[in-house]
Amino acid sequence: MSREAHLRWEQVWLAEAVRLAEEAGPLDDSQALARAQRLPATEKDQLLERAWLLGQRLGWTAQMKRVRDAGWLLLLLVAGAILALTNGLLFSVLTDGRSINAASGFVSALGFHSVSLLFWLVSIPLARNQRRPGGGLSIGRWLMAGVVRLPMWRGPQTASLMQAGTLLVVRERLSPWAFGLLSHLIWTFGFGFVLLGLLFAFAFREYQLTWETTILAPEWFAAFARVTGYLPSLLGVPVPDLSPTAAAAGAGTGALSGMERAGAWPAREAAAWLLACVALYGLLPRALCVVWCAWVMRRAARRVDIDLTDPYYQRLRARLQALERAEVTDAEHPGPRDTSRARPDTGVPHTGFAVVGFELGCDGDWLPAALESSARIAVCIAGSMPEQVQLQSQLASLQPARLLVVCNPQASPDRGTLRFLRGAGLCAGQCALTFAVQPATGDSEDASHSNRAGLDRWRVWTSDNDLRGWQVFDDASAAAPWALEAA
């Protein structure tokens, strides 16, 4: 799953969690709704942004991050499941003796796998009318049921998040694919280790594959060998000949009379037959199912979205539209409308420039004196939500021609930084980003290298996040001429 698809899935998941939480009563979302409305995006993206802001305030985003960070623990559980599965399959095939019953060994290695795979295939069409989560007879479902009970999932937000995730999976009809992906991965690695174990055992110990029966005729085992060995034979794997004539020729006089009780397969051919059956009927189908599930989940992550026809989202859309500013139009000379412009036209001329220090210590000379004296507003904020809302209200009233945002190059830009820059950029004609580079102390080469690495990181981040129209200067002194042009 790509990064964009994964992020979209988390946004929709969180939006559904907020929707469920608001069924018990509306949340205080005045600030979140106002910030989302100023986002230059579609109504869906604005609603997702509102839910994300509320999720940050309620601690749900932090809970989701803790779960992502605890992914290593899930990997350990998957490894444990694979080890247990492998040992169980090998133990059922390689008994304490040197004789392996071919038919029972085949069923032991592939029986439960075949049943669980059949249940999973049946669950796919049933998912169309599914009303509750499920993954069929799936190891992945059992493993996930245990994971959600781990300590990092416990908390006041767990119930809402899990309920929202469950409803989202069911709504998108992804239960078999989500749980099946993990289950098929476990089976794939398990069969890989089973093949390695069988190869090691057959290479360094002598086993005799036999068939034994009390009530079945020898022809039944001959037919069993032909049917199961059909696909291996297409790849050149020899299939043991268990016909009565071949058995009599191989055993000598009197062997045919004892064939109704027991028989032995040629050791080399029997070992090749068992290895080929495990690979073709066990490993290959599970590997193909992994690819299938991953493809379906990738497509689903790209198309997943909120349902704007839902009454809940209809009410939110009405509240968003009520926050839109009225545009000044001239009925006689309407002129061409620029549909590509995301910044709203308030009819107020953009004049002067504003300088904002974002997430700075603000206890030093972060701004040149020439800029501070000429700016319509020069303010430094720590980045808290109330400070951002108040500042954006001031910028919306001033409507500066140019906005210069000063950041710390050593800080790491994140989603909150991106939201602030996009929201503040709606209130200015042109925008630029610059940095409060700290003077070099101690080793000047190390300080210079650290500053340059920070600047490069920010430039890559602005490019990756598509901050169109934002100029980037290395420091405030370099940005001063650009800002003073609007003074």
Side-chain angles (χ1 to χ4, degrees), residues 19-35:
R19 181 180 67 84
L20 291 176
E22 290 195 305
E23 288 182 355
L27 300 173
D28 182 11
D29 66 342
S30 56
Q31 294 183 356
L33 194 66
R35 290 189 59 181

Side-chain angles (χ1 to χ4, degrees), residues 59-76:
W60 288 342
T61 56
Q63 181 78 354
M64 295 171 69
K65 184 177 184 301
R66 285 195 296 270
V67 173
R68 290 197 304 269
D69 293 341
W72 59 269
L73 188 55
L74 177 60
L75 292 179
L76 290 178

Side-chain angles (χ1 to χ4, degrees), residues 145-426:
V147 169
V148 298
R149 290 173 173 81
L150 294 176
M152 77 285 299
W153 269 100
R154 297 173 184 170
Q157 307 90 4
T158 303
S160 297
L161 280 176
M162 288 308 303
Q163 185 181 3
T166 299
L167 292 177
L168 182 60
V169 168
V170 173
R171 189 191 74 186
E172 298 295 328
R173 300 171 183 174
L174 293 175
S175 296
W177 310 102
F179 296 117
L181 177 60
L182 184 56
S183 179
H184 296 318
L185 277 173
I186 294 174
W187 276 105
T188 300
F189 284 108
F191 276 121
F193 287 123
V194 167
L195 284 174
L196 292 177
L198 289 176
L199 282 172
F200 184 83
F202 291 155
F204 297 102
R205 298 188 68 181
E206 183 180 0
Y207 286 92
Q208 182 68 44
L209 272 75
T210 64
W211 51 267
E212 299 176 2
T213 181
T214 302
I215 62 174
L216 296 177
E219 289 80 6
W220 186 91
F221 287 96
F224 176 79
R226 286 195 302 271
V227 172
T228 56
Y230 176 74
L231 288 181
S233 66
L234 297 180
L235 301 178
V237 178
V239 179
D241 187 0
L242 300 183
S243 63
T245 303
T253 305
L256 191 58
S257 61
M259 194 172 175
E260 294 180 0
R261 296 188 304 274
W265 294 12
R268 187 181 296 273
E269 292 182 6
W273 165 83
L274 183 59
L275 289 171
C277 287
V278 172
L280 293 178
Y281 302 131
L283 177 62
L284 182 61
R286 292 293 181 173
L288 293 177
C289 287
V290 168
V291 177
W292 189 13
C293 290
W295 178 72
V296 172
M297 292 296 295
R298 184 182 180 90
R299 289 189 59 192
R302 289 178 176 176
R303 72 168 189 267
V304 67
D305 215 332
I306 56 177
D307 183 12
L308 291 183
T309 61
D310 187 278
Y312 168 78
Y313 290 111
Q314 289 284 358
R315 292 191 296 270
L316 291 181
R317 290 180 64 189
R319 293 179 60 198
L320 276 175
Q321 294 170 1
L323 292 177
E324 293 181 358
R325 296 188 180 99
E327 296 185 0
V328 178
T329 57
D330 187 346
E332 296 181 0
H333 307 285
R337 179 177 178 84
D338 184 7
T339 58
S340 64
R341 181 173 178 171
R343 185 177 293 107
D345 184 8
T346 62
V348 179
H350 297 285
T351 58
F353 70 94
V355 184
V356 176
F358 183 71
E359 293 186 344
L360 298 177
C362 304
D363 53 358
D365 297 331
W366 63 277
L367 185 64
L371 287 177
E372 186 173 5
S373 60
S374 303
R376 297 184 63 188
I377 179 177
V379 61
C380 182
I381 64 173
S384 65
M385 186 72 68
E387 287 179 318
Q388 293 185 37
V389 173
Q390 182 180 1
L391 176 60
Q392 290 183 6
S393 298
Q394 292 177 331
L395 293 175
S397 301
L398 292 174
Q399 293 290 308
R402 295 188 176 181
L403 171 65
L404 180 64
V405 179
V406 185
C407 296
N408 181 8
Q410 304 303 324
S412 296
D414 54 16
R415 188 194 302 272
T417 306
L418 180 63
R419 281 195 297 268
F420 171 77
L421 294 179
R422 286 178 172 171
L426 295 176

Side-chain angles (χ1 to χ4, degrees), residues 22-68:
E22 290 195 305
E23 288 182 355
L27 300 173
D28 182 11
D29 66 342
S30 56
Q31 294 183 356
L33 194 66
R35 290 189 59 181
Q37 192 276 331
R38 288 193 292 268
L39 189 69
T42 63
E43 281 188 340
K44 284 185 177 180
D45 290 332
Q46 290 176 343
L47 293 176
L48 291 174
E49 180 69 10
R50 167 194 175 269
W52 192 269
L53 293 172
L54 290 176
Q56 283 185 322
R57 194 183 75 191
L58 296 173
W60 288 342
T61 56
Q63 181 78 354
M64 295 171 69
K65 184 177 184 301
R66 285 195 296 270
V67 173
R68 290 197 304 269

